C-alpha cells in the first residue's frame, strides 16, 4: 500500500465522521449527508460518500431547504472531495445557487516531519491567543492576508469555541509587536489526527519562514497531545511547504458556497 493510499484510507475512515466537526452546534442526518450548523450562522454539509445515494439533485435541494428554514444561517458550504464518485453533483449544486470556490489540496502525513528544519525567524515571537482583543486582532489580520474584508462574525465564532474548550488552539506570529501570521490547530478527538487550518501570513512578510515556524509550533503541540498525523486543506501557497515536510497530496477538495 502506497503512502497516498494508506493516508487517504485513514482520512476517509477517521475524519469523515462526527470527528470532522467537533465544534458543531447541531448536526442533522439526511440520508448519507451530515448537515452541520456552526456558531456565526454557518452551515456545512459533509458525508462519507454518496455512492448509491440515488437522486443527488433531490438530495441537494432537501439539504439546502434544511438550512433555509433556519434564519440564523447566512451561508452554507458543501464540501466536495475529488476522489468521490458523485455524478451530477456539480450541476445540482450550481442549479441550487452554490458557487464553487478554488480547489485545494488535501494534505496528509506525519506531524514529526513538520517539526524539522523550521527555526523561528529572528525577531519573531510565536504564541497562542485566547483573550478577546487578541483573537479579534488575529482574525482581522487573517482576513487582510487573504484579501478579504474584516469579518467580525468569524472572530465571534472563534471566541465561542474557545469558551467551549473543544481543543482548538489559535497561534500567532508577531514581530515588532505586530501580528503578521496566524493559524489554528484542531486536534481530532478519537483519532491520531490533528488539523492545521487558517494558515495566513501578511503578504509583505511571506518568504521568511514564518508560516513554516507556525506550522512546526502547532505540530509540536499536537504531538504533545498524542497525535501522530496532520491533515490540511492547502492552497498553492502552503502546499509546497507541507510537501517538503513529508506530507503528501491524497486528493482535492472544492468548497461550494451558498449565501442567503
Amino acid at each position: 500500500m502506497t503512502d497516498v493510499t494508506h493516508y487517504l484510507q485513514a482520512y476517509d475512515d477517521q475524519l469523515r465522521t462526527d470527528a470532522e466537526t467537533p465544534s458543531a452546534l447541531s448536526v442533522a442526518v439526511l440520508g448519507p449527508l451530515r448537515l452541520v450548523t456552526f456558531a456565526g450562522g454557518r452551515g456545512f454539509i459533509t458525508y462519507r460518500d454518496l455512492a448509491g445515494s440515488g437522486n443527488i439533485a433531490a438530495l441537494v435541494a432537501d439539504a439546502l431547504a434544511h438550512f433555509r428554514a433556519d434564519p440564523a444561517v447566512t451561508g452554507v458550504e458543501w464540501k466536495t472531495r475529488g476522489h468521490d464518485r458523485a455524478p451530477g453533483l456539480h450541476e445540482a449544486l450550481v442549479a441550487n445557487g452554490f458557487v464553487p470556490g478554488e480547489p485545494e489540496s488535501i494534505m496528509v502525513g506525519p506531524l514529526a516531519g513538520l517539526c524539522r528544519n523550521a527555526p523561528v525567524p529572528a525577531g519573531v515571537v510565536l504564541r497562542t491567543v485566547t483573550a478577546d482583543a487578541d483573537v479579534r486582532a488575529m482574525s482581522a489580520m487573517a482576513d487582510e492576508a487573504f484579501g478579504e474584508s474584516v469579518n467580525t462574525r468569524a472572530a465571534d465564532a472563534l471566541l465561542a469555541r474557545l469558551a467551549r474548550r473543544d481543543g482548538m488552539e489559535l497561534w500567532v506570529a508577531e514581530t515588532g509587536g505586530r501580528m503578521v501570521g496566524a493559524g489554528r490547530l484542531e486536534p481530532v478527538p478519537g483519532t491520531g489526527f490533528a488539523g492545521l487550518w487558517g494558515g495566513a501570513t501578511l503578504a509583505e512578510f511571506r518568504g521568511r519562514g514564518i508560516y513554516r515556524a507556525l506550522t512546526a509550533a502547532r505540530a509540536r503541540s499536537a504531538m504533545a497531545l498524542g497525535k501522530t498525523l496532520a491533515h490540511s486543506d492547502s492552497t498553492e501557497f502552503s502546499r509546497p511547504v507541507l510537501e517538503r515536510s513529508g506530507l503528501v497530496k491524497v486528493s482535492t477538495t472544492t468548497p461550494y458556497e451558498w449565501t442567503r
Side-chain angles (χ1 to χ4, degrees):
M1 183 181 292
T2 66
D3 281 349
V4 171
T5 302
H6 171 74
Y7 291 145
L8 181 57
Q9 182 175 320
Y11 174 88
D12 280 341
D13 290 346
Q14 296 185 46
L15 296 180
R16 298 181 73 175
T17 68
D18 282 336
E20 185 179 10
T21 54
S23 61
L25 296 181
S26 65
V27 179
V29 176
L30 176 66
L33 304 180
R34 292 172 57 253
L35 311 180
V36 182
T37 301
F38 291 113
R42 177 173 166 244
F44 183 75
I45 300 171
T46 186
Y47 42 90
R48 173 64 174 81
D49 64 60
L50 295 180
S53 59
N55 190 332
I56 287 181
L59 199 60
V60 171
D62 289 346
L64 183 56
H66 167 83
F67 289 108
R68 281 185 180 275
D70 182 354
V73 173
T74 58
V76 180
E77 175 187 344
W78 185 300
K79 186 179 179 73
T80 69
R81 276 85 167 190
H83 62 288
D84 286 343
R85 185 178 181 276
L89 178 59
H90 167 80
E91 291 78 8
L93 288 169
V94 171
N96 281 275
F98 285 86
V99 178
E102 289 296 320
E104 295 185 338
S105 299
I106 299 174
M107 307 295 294
V108 177
L111 282 161
L114 297 169
C115 302
R116 293 192 289 267
N117 303 316
V120 179
V124 173
V125 175
L126 307 181
R127 65 184 179 98
T128 58
V129 296
T130 58
D132 186 291
D134 282 342
V135 172
R136 294 190 183 281
M138 184 208 76
S139 183
M141 185 279 301
D143 288 337
E144 180 185 349
F146 287 123
E148 300 171 354
S149 57
V150 174
N151 182 352
T152 57
R153 297 188 73 176
D156 291 340
L158 290 173
L159 287 164
R161 288 193 57 190
L162 287 172
R164 291 199 300 274
R165 300 181 182 274
D166 63 12
M168 177 188 68
E169 296 179 7
L170 304 178
W171 285 79
V172 298
E174 296 174 320
T175 182
R178 179 186 181 189
M179 286 186 188
V180 298
R184 298 195 320 276
L185 174 68
E186 304 259 7
V188 184
T191 76
F193 278 96
L196 302 174
W197 302 104
T201 307
L202 293 177
E204 62 266 39
F205 293 92
R206 293 172 189 161
R208 304 186 189 184
I210 293 173
Y211 173 82
R212 190 177 180 88
L214 267 172
T215 301
R218 287 179 285 166
R220 283 190 290 268
S221 184
M223 291 173 66
L225 297 172
K227 305 302 182 183
T228 59
L229 291 173
H231 75 102
S232 180
D233 295 347
S234 299
T235 66
E236 287 306 292
F237 288 110
S238 55
R239 179 187 57 78
V241 177
L242 298 180
E243 284 182 332
R244 288 194 293 270
S245 298
L247 273 65
V248 296
K249 179 179 178 178
V250 300
S251 187
T252 59
T253 179
T254 302
Y256 284 71
E257 301 281 354
W258 174 85
T259 303
R260 188 178 293 277

